[in-house]
Amino acid sequence: FHFNRYLLISSMRDTSLPANLQGIWCNKLQPAWNCDYHTNINLQMNFWPVEAVNLGELHLSLTNFIEMLSNAGRKTAKVQYHAHGWVSHTITNVWGFTSPGEEPQWGLPLATGAWLCRHIWEHYLYSTNVTYLRNNYGIIKGAAEFLLD
């Protein structure tokens, strides 16, 4: 329990990138999964405990990352699917890559953006910060618009 809290606290701040699977301790030139972010579960599971262990402020690094993805994902939604809103797929990185991955079986899931929005909602449920929810409502709405198209 405390080791998990330590890893979360030491691997990110609210203004930094969210923790990935390797954290800040990756010492390889060619790390596993390219040391990127996989939004089919890997990125999300790093953040599952943050609210329950009273580290809600760490959700802000993920919120900032989701906002960046939503901005890039608007173009992907329009170009790839002729859809409104925004989309992200399984693989992303620090530059906001939101296009489908190389293999359809793992690179094409369309709901990862909406699933990431669950973290915005989770932070709101724990913090009851209406301003936070209001500021991020457009991200949630954009993910829903894409799925409805």
Side-chain angles (χ1 to χ4, degrees):
F1 176 81
H2 291 296
F3 183 64
N4 187 20
R5 283 176 49 92
Y6 164 76
L7 291 175
L8 286 168
I9 292 167
S10 61
S11 65
M12 67 189 140
R13 300 291 183 265
D14 61 349
T15 58
S16 67
L17 291 167
N20 63 12
L21 286 179
Q22 288 80 20
I24 60 174
W25 302 277
C26 180
N27 63 354
K28 296 190 173 30
L29 291 175
Q30 186 60 45
W33 299 284
N34 297 317
C35 209
D36 57 12
Y37 297 94
H38 287 214
T39 58
N40 59 349
I41 194 169
N42 297 345
L43 178 59
Q44 292 89 333
M45 73 179 175
N46 284 336
F47 287 86
W48 287 341
V50 297
E51 299 292 345
V53 298
N54 199 26
L55 295 174
E57 68 276 7
L58 296 181
H59 246 144
L60 300 180
S61 66
L62 181 59
T63 301
N64 293 338
F65 191 72
I66 296 168
E67 180 182 15
M68 186 256 304
L69 290 178
S70 73
N71 292 329
R74 288 191 182 284
K75 181 178 180 184
T76 303
K78 185 176 181 180
V79 169
Q80 297 284 338
Y81 304 103
H82 306 287
H84 296 92
W86 69 276
V87 64
S88 67
H89 294 86
T90 302
I91 303 170
T92 191
N93 57 30
V94 299
W95 297 280
F97 180 81
T98 57
S99 294
E102 302 91 54
E103 295 288 332
Q105 68 189 49
W106 58 260
L108 200 54
L110 302 174
T112 62
W115 192 18
L116 285 169
C117 287
R118 176 72 176 117
H119 286 275
I120 295 171
W121 183 246
E122 185 83 4
H123 183 70
Y124 165 71
L125 290 177
Y126 273 83
S127 70
T128 65
N129 184 338
V130 176
T131 303
Y132 171 83
L133 184 61
R134 190 177 295 120
N135 290 342
N136 293 289
Y137 173 76
I139 297 171
I140 298 170
K141 181 180 176 190
E145 286 172 338
F146 173 78
L147 292 176
L148 292 172
D149 263 1

